[in-house]
Amino acid sequence: MRPYLPGYRGSFRSGFHMPPPYDLRLLFPMLFLVGIGIVMVYSASSAVALKDHGSDQFFLRRQALYVFPGFAVLLMCRYFPIRFLRALAYPILGLSFVSLVMVLLPGFGIKAGGATRWLRLGTISFQPAEFARLAMVVYLAYSMSKKDYKLETFSVGFVPHVMILLVFTFLIMLQPDFGTVVILFAITWILMFVGGVRLKYLLLSFLSSLPVVYLFLIGSSYRMRRIISFINPWRYAHDEGYQTVHSLMAFGTGGIWGVGLGKGYQKLFYLPEPHTDFIFSVIGEELGLMGILLVVVCFAYILWNGVKIARSAEDTFSSFLAVGLTVCVGLQACVNMGVALALLPTKGLTLPFISYGGTSLIMNMAFIGLLMNIGASQTRQESP
Amino acid sequence: MKPTEKSGINRRIYWVGAFFVCLFLIIIGKTIYLQVFQGQWLSRLAAGEYEKTLTIRGKRGTIFDRNLREMAVSVDAASIAAYPRFIQEPGAVATALAEVLNLNRAALLRKITSDRTFVWIKRQSAPSEERAIRALGFKGIDFIPEHTRYYPNRYLAAQLLGFTGVDSRGLEGLEYYFNDELTGTERSFTVLKDALGKKFDGDNSVEGVYRGNDLVLTIDRTIQFITEKALGEAVADFKAKSGLAVVMAPKTGAILAMANFPLFNPNAFRRYDRELWRNRIITDPFEPGSTMKIFSAAAAIESGGCTPNTIFYCENGKYRIGREVVHDTRSHGWLSLNMIIKYSSNIGAVKVSEMIGAEALHRTLRHFGFGEKTGLTCPAETSGSLSPYQRWSRIDTGVISFGHGMSVSVLQLVTAVAAIANDGVLMKPYVVQEIRGRNGEPIQQYHPQEVRQAVSPQTAETVKKMMASVVEPEGTGARADLHGYTVCGKTGTAQNLNEAGEYARDAYVGSFVGFVPAEDPQIAILVVIDELPYGSYGGTVAAPTFRNIARETLNYLNIPADPGVDRITAGRPRVKVNG
């Protein structure tokens, strides 16, 4: 029996007729993911943190602190006038280019684990590659909305975008960060597809790039081993397939309900980077299939709203921007999950909102802020 | 904005959405496949990777002799293990460990660079090795508390004590029989959980693990040594194969010594033939031979129709029963019962048994405990064999009266003889007098326990006197005579059966059983010398061994000589006797 509450029926009815604004529809799943992220970062990293940093809360504290600048950036993006963003497309692109160059210069870049991915500016450090995704999306959205119907031509609609992409690719491969390159390529191709670049160009260029990718892979025994171990991880369970095999074991151990928060074993030095690249496996082990479904449903809900926002955006720039941002978040989530589930070879991409990492968290919250911004401007138009 | 163009964009945005729907479906599908359908297999696989369960045992209890001198102790011997994943400089570690532990460096390096999570470097290392490696302070090396069993007296009472295996489990003897009491409490822990979450050797402390209970034996280490020494000398002197001897306190049934020769060293038991591990005093039946005549005589007297002076015709050395012929080594004519025992006449014993009948003989033998286990707290006791009298033929009754056609254990025989020394009361033999808890508190005490009145005290007294005559100069056991003490005893000789079931010509078993001093018996001793060459008898081989053991034991126990015994008799000439 429902208790009688004064005004209950009325409020229900008003909620029924007017769906909640995009602000809330994006905020809640995002908050949920960030919350799960902080809890899982603590669970996954405490052993590593204690061993490497002397405190089991080392990563927990930092991740919790990143949420504050994250919200500041989110609010900034939420209320920043979108039309100014067009004007900022090239400055942002330039800034991203400079930061990508700077990270390669000795004195600015921080080398960790065989790659130089962090740029130190004073007391803060961030990953220019994360920022490059935003710059690329804004640039593409601006460029494609400006070119309009000329998009269909090869020289105007295809070549300039790919040139910019290749410059970025070159810089990022020097770090190296293969995962981000893959994401940038995917975003560019998807956006060009959405914008109306001829499918012929997209498919042919994709096919013609395959030999290059092949040469690139066999050019490095390290990358080749990764591919071979991806095809049959169990055969290389003690070498290259090690992470994959332990990630699969984590999922298997978790079962439907999980072993319980904090009770997983695979994060204890079996999984490399349990709090970043393989946090999805830790969720699978500790929270089980139920936890996994919750996370996937949250991402799916964000993406669904992203798609809706893109469709109903007031202009093509906003529409492209929304698609780019949605694809950024969605693709990165899918690639990370795919790696953990051994559907893709190991990359080194984080799970948005959940994995440990300041730049990644702040950038992804910025994407959500921008999506809210686009969604709100269009809601304003629709509402009487 | 051109509406047509925007609609094209919107259509393609749907395609992007559909693309993501596909991705998510694949992800969820794979997750369900892994977590639901492959979950069991994967989790079993995972458990095998990270769970290495080790058990820490409390120290095994100590075994003491009756004077609380250590017979078996456990000493700390930590096992050295490694977690290869945490070893930082495998090369340096391997070099250092190889030097300290005297191991092969290459094999060691292979071990500590393997992708296993846990490897043993050395089980049960010496304390000095443990100290040296701890001092090196390598990361990834751990010490699991373990113990080794050490027998400080080496060979002493080895067959009685038994020994333990590497996992501190009793495998033979008292170590086996009292394994549950001696074993300390256990605690299992998973190596990896500790190794990764917390400090390495934080959780494998011995906290909450207690040592096992102690055993206090009735064995006296000194008497055991005396017995083993005398037995060893006899076996060597007479070119025998082996020997057994038991020393018992007749009034209580407490066993003071229990010697099996050849000896073995339980500290290195694997270097010895496993035939030597067994406590044959308890486990092996043998044909007792003439020593059984004591009990035939006791049966005759107990049945009431006989006194030591009742005379029997001994057929001048040859007595035909059906198709069989019983021989005596020396021919006798008429002998009194006392003489039959003294000269050990087989035909006399047969005549006695014919007089009292199979049932009376059987009853008395059963009363003395033959055919049933004594219940000593040792593993694998034999009950010997004594078939029901209803199945005895005439010849069976005859040969059983002088100890053939039946078998007994050494323990049964000495216990039965001790009953005669103890006014006819059969005591239950025991070798463990107390189980003590880890704080020294008694957990279980074993007290002397009467089994039954085997024969009346008067009968026992009469038999005792007959046994004393055996050790007189003309008796078969004259060589067991002791200066200043009256010895009661009986010789026995039997032939071993060979593999074909026939009596072997070169495998005699010579035995002597007796007790001393006659007036107030303090020790009962049985000596069995096995596989003697032809021509040796209980009287010539076992009797002197009995004397050696008895003399030194009485001396050690400070038992005064009998006041009534004429010391001059000590120097009298020995006569050749047959058992």
Side-chain angles (χ1 to χ4, degrees):
Chain A
M1 286 286 284
R2 268 190 183 142
Y4 174 77
L5 290 170
Y8 174 78
R9 186 174 290 264
S11 66
F12 176 74
R13 193 170 272 171
S14 70
F16 189 77
H17 283 295
M18 235 177 71
Y22 285 119
D23 282 359
L24 294 184
R25 289 201 265 169
L26 290 171
L27 184 69
F28 283 119
M30 186 206 77
L31 277 182
F32 187 80
L33 290 175
V34 170
I36 284 192
I38 290 172
V39 172
M40 292 317 296
V41 161
Y42 180 49
S43 173
S45 72
S46 56
V48 178
L50 194 65
K51 180 169 169 270
D52 295 344
H53 301 281
S55 158
D56 59 334
Q57 298 178 354
F58 180 83
F59 292 109
L60 166 73
R61 287 166 188 272
R62 307 189 105 199
Q63 182 74 354
L65 278 177
Y66 293 144
V67 173
F68 295 102
F71 266 106
V73 170
L74 183 142
L75 287 173
M76 238 167 67
C77 293
R78 166 67 181 81
Y79 294 106
F80 186 82
I82 285 286
R83 60 183 182 279
F84 290 154
L85 209 56
R86 293 170 194 254
L88 285 177
Y90 283 111
I92 289 176
L93 199 65
L95 199 64
S96 177
F97 178 81
V98 169
S99 68
L100 283 173
V101 172
M102 270 174 73
V103 80
L104 298 171
L105 301 176
F108 291 105
I110 302 170
K111 206 174 170 77
T116 319
R117 292 180 186 174
W118 279 266
L119 181 64
R120 183 185 288 282
L121 289 172
T123 53
I124 58 162
S125 55
F126 79 108
Q127 286 180 280
E130 295 278 348
F131 185 63
R133 289 187 301 158
L134 177 70
M136 198 70 200
V137 167
V138 174
Y139 158 73
L140 284 171
Y142 169 70
S143 167
M144 293 197 310
S145 65
K146 194 180 65 180
K147 280 157 188 163
D148 220 7
Y149 60 90
K150 288 184 203 151
L151 267 179
E152 290 192 9
T153 59
F154 184 73
S155 56
V156 178
F158 185 78
V159 174
H161 305 142
V162 174
M163 291 309 290
I164 296 287
L165 176 66
L166 287 177
V167 170
F168 271 50
T169 299
F170 175 74
L171 288 173
I172 294 171
M173 284 317 288
L174 287 176
Q175 293 187 3
D177 186 352
F178 189 51
T180 302
V181 168
V182 170
I183 292 284
L184 284 183
F185 263 88
I187 291 168
T188 309
W189 253 247
I190 288 174
L191 271 181
M192 287 196 294
F193 164 75
V194 170
V197 176
R198 286 198 176 170
L199 227 56
K200 187 170 68 183
Y201 303 148
L202 295 176
L203 282 177
L204 282 177
S205 59
F206 176 72
L207 290 175
S208 62
S209 71
L210 285 181
V212 180
V213 172
Y214 175 73
L215 284 176
F216 171 74
L217 286 178
I218 64 164
S220 149
S221 60
Y222 150 79
R223 277 186 283 266
M224 201 58 209
R225 281 204 304 271
R226 272 198 172 185
I227 299 295
I228 291 170
S229 69
F230 160 69
I231 293 163
N232 188 358
W234 296 101
R235 203 175 147 198
Y236 303 90
H238 293 297
D239 307 303
E240 274 71 33
Y242 183 80
Q243 322 176 351
T244 313
V245 161
H246 281 279
S247 180
L248 292 177
M249 283 180 187
F251 281 104
T253 309
I256 293 174
W257 300 105
V259 296
L261 196 61
K263 290 180 188 157
Y265 277 106
Q266 297 294 348
K267 67 193 184 194
L268 299 173
F269 305 101
Y270 289 101
L271 281 173
E273 314 288 336
H275 55 303
T276 58
D277 296 1
F278 281 94
I279 198 157
F280 196 57
S281 319
V282 179
I283 295 174
E285 185 180 17
E286 301 193 350
L287 304 181
L289 183 61
M290 293 302 139
I292 293 292
L293 287 179
L294 261 178
V295 169
V296 171
V297 163
C298 282
F299 276 116
Y301 189 68
I302 289 174
L303 295 197
W304 180 52
N305 282 300
V307 166
K308 279 182 75 175
I309 289 169
R311 278 172 56 82
S312 52
E314 54 184 347
D315 54 37
T316 47
F317 173 71
S318 303
S319 194
F320 291 145
L321 192 60
V323 171
L325 298 172
T326 307
V327 169
C328 259
V329 174
L331 206 59
Q332 182 146 0
C334 286
V335 170
N336 177 281
M337 295 181 202
V339 168
L341 289 164
L343 293 165
L344 294 169
T346 45
K347 292 270 181 337
L349 283 174
T350 55
L351 188 58
F353 309 115
I354 293 182
S355 288
Y356 171 80
T359 318
S360 164
L361 181 68
I362 292 167
M363 287 315 297
N364 283 306
M365 286 176 86
F367 293 172
I368 294 295
L370 284 172
L371 275 177
M372 287 173 173
N373 195 343
I374 299 163
S377 59
Q378 150 252 299
T379 320
R380 269 198 307 278
Q381 273 192 341
E382 279 177 5
S383 46
Chain B
M1 190 175 74
K2 298 169 188 166
T4 48
E5 193 195 329
K6 186 76 170 87
S7 74
I9 289 171
N10 280 358
R11 199 181 66 238
R12 288 191 290 271
I13 288 175
Y14 261 139
W15 279 106
V16 173
F19 171 63
F20 276 106
V21 169
C22 291
L23 292 186
F24 278 108
L25 284 180
I26 291 170
I27 284 167
I28 288 173
K30 180 80 188 263
T31 314
I32 290 173
Y33 171 67
L34 287 177
Q35 303 210 284
V36 179
F37 296 103
Q38 286 204 304
Q40 271 196 320
W41 176 67
L42 284 170
S43 55
R44 248 202 326 277
L45 214 64
E49 284 263 327
Y50 54 68
E51 276 175 20
K52 169 78 183 176
T53 305
L54 289 180
T55 306
I56 301 185
R57 290 187 182 84
K59 220 181 219 184
R60 196 173 171 84
T62 305
I63 301 179
F64 294 105
D65 85 337
R66 60 166 39 221
N67 299 311
L68 299 185
R69 289 176 295 198
E70 288 166 341
M71 304 286 277
V73 293
S74 278
V75 287
D76 291 325
S79 286
I80 300 166
Y83 307 96
R85 203 161 299 163
F86 292 90
I87 290 179
Q88 282 156 348
E89 291 164 358
V93 173
T95 309
L97 291 185
E99 195 183 324
V100 176
L101 298 172
N102 198 19
L103 296 171
N104 181 316
R105 184 184 176 275
L108 211 54
L109 188 64
R110 251 199 316 282
K111 258 189 195 176
I112 62 175
T113 50
S114 71
D115 42 323
R116 310 229 317 266
T117 49
F118 178 93
V119 289
W120 289 112
I121 301 290
K122 186 174 184 185
R123 295 295 294 271
Q124 300 181 346
S125 62
S128 61
E129 293 171 334
E130 186 199 341
R131 268 197 307 278
I133 291 171
R134 271 192 198 278
L136 293 171
F138 287 128
K139 247 186 126 181
I141 300 290
D142 200 4
F143 303 87
I144 313 293
E146 286 196 293
H147 315 281
T148 46
R149 201 63 164 161
Y150 178 62
Y151 301 89
N153 308 312
R154 304 176 69 218
Y155 299 93
L156 204 74
Q159 286 90 349
L160 172 66
L161 295 173
F163 46 81
T164 63
V166 169
D167 55 351
S168 285
R169 200 172 177 76
L171 298 179
E172 285 276 350
L174 294 173
E175 295 273 29
Y176 173 78
Y177 194 89
F178 287 97
N179 187 54
D180 291 348
E181 292 289 345
L182 289 165
T183 303
T185 58
E186 290 183 354
R187 190 162 62 80
S188 296
F189 68 101
T190 309
V191 166
L192 243 87
K193 196 179 170 192
D194 299 333
L196 294 169
K198 298 150 209 163
K199 269 184 70 185
F200 267 22
D201 35 15
D203 258 39
N204 54 25
S205 65
V206 287
E207 207 175 298
V209 174
Y210 302 109
R211 61 186 304 255
N213 298 326
D214 294 337
L215 292 187
V216 181
L217 306 185
T218 58
I219 299 290
D220 186 303
R221 199 175 72 179
T222 308
I223 299 174
Q224 178 76 26
F225 177 74
I226 291 167
T227 309
E228 286 183 4
K229 184 164 159 279
L231 193 62
E233 285 167 0
V235 169
D237 288 352
F238 296 102
K239 298 182 174 60
K241 193 184 162 201
S242 63
L244 305 169
V246 184
V247 180
M248 182 187 256
K251 291 173 187 171
T252 59
I255 293 168
L256 301 175
M258 201 177 237
N260 286 254
F261 194 90
L263 309 168
F264 79 94
N265 184 351
N267 293 317
F269 62 90
R270 288 195 200 283
R271 281 193 226 138
Y272 295 84
D273 185 356
R274 52 170 56 236
E275 280 294 303
L276 299 181
W277 296 349
R278 201 166 74 237
N279 188 358
R280 291 187 294 136
I281 288 168
I282 293 155
T283 60
D284 286 20
F286 78 110
E287 260 193 343
S290 306
T291 44
M292 287 308 282
K293 287 172 191 163
I294 302 167
F295 306 104
S296 303
I301 292 162
E302 184 76 356
S303 66
C306 221
T307 69
N309 299 319
T310 307
I311 55 169
F312 297 88
Y313 181 59
C314 290
E315 308 279 352
N316 288 317
K318 258 187 188 174
Y319 182 41
R320 178 175 291 276
I321 306 171
R323 279 186 291 170
E324 310 286 332
V325 181
V326 177
H327 295 274
D328 270 341
T329 42
R330 277 162 64 189
S331 59
H332 301 284
W334 288 88
L335 287 177
S336 68
L337 179 58
N338 198 347
M339 294 300 198
I340 289 171
I341 299 300
K342 183 172 179 177
Y343 299 132
S344 197
S345 165
N346 294 343
I347 296 166
V350 175
K351 288 294 181 75
V352 170
S353 71
E354 285 174 347
M355 191 195 88
I356 59 170
E359 188 183 351
L361 179 63
H362 181 264
R363 186 171 56 238
T364 303
L365 291 180
R366 293 295 298 197
H367 280 178
F368 275 106
F370 294 110
E372 67 180 13
K373 292 179 182 178
T374 63
L376 190 77
T377 53
C378 282
E381 190 185 354
T382 178
S383 57
S385 70
L386 180 66
S387 53
Y389 69 92
Q390 292 91 337
R391 283 203 243 137
W392 292 358
S393 64
R394 196 170 151 229
I395 182 71
D396 287 338
T397 313
V399 296
I400 285 169
S401 71
F402 58 91
H404 290 265
M406 65 175 292
S407 68
V408 302
S409 72
V410 172
L411 182 69
Q412 277 176 334
L413 188 54
V414 74
T415 309
V417 168
I420 291 169
N422 190 32
D423 298 326
V425 178
L426 184 73
M427 301 301 291
K428 184 179 175 181
Y430 66 107
V431 74
V432 175
Q433 55 175 311
E434 187 177 302
I435 299 173
R436 287 189 181 182
R438 60 178 180 276
N439 301 320
E441 77 282 9
I443 287 181
Q444 191 174 349
Q445 283 176 316
Y446 296 87
H447 299 288
Q449 208 179 323
E450 288 182 15
V451 178
R452 69 179 77 84
Q453 187 81 38
V455 286
S456 69
Q458 295 78 19
T459 305
E461 191 57 34
T462 311
V463 174
K464 217 196 262 185
K465 285 205 177 99
M466 288 195 281
M467 288 172 72
S469 71
V470 171
V471 189
E472 285 171 0
E474 313 80 43
T476 51
R479 292 184 186 198
D481 183 34
L482 267 174
H483 306 215
Y485 298 93
T486 309
V487 174
C488 300
K490 181 71 192 80
T491 58
T493 307
Q495 274 169 286
N496 274 347
L497 293 171
N498 63 19
E499 281 148 18
E502 298 157 344
Y503 287 110
R505 270 192 65 77
D506 54 352
Y508 284 80
V509 181
S511 57
F512 188 93
V513 63
F515 50 87
V516 70
E519 284 69 29
D520 181 21
Q522 295 296 322
I523 49 171
I525 304 172
L526 169 56
V527 177
V528 178
I529 311 284
D530 200 5
E531 296 209 18
L532 287 160
Y534 178 73
S536 304
Y537 301 97
T540 53
V541 178
T545 312
F546 171 93
R547 188 186 59 210
N548 291 341
I549 296 169
R551 186 178 57 220
E552 289 194 44
T553 304
L554 291 170
N555 195 7
Y556 165 73
L557 293 175
N558 281 326
I559 291 165
D562 295 344
V565 176
D566 183 6
R567 284 165 191 278
I568 294 166
T569 59
R572 70 200 166 192
R574 307 281 170 214
V575 291
K576 184 164 169 51
V577 287
N578 296 324

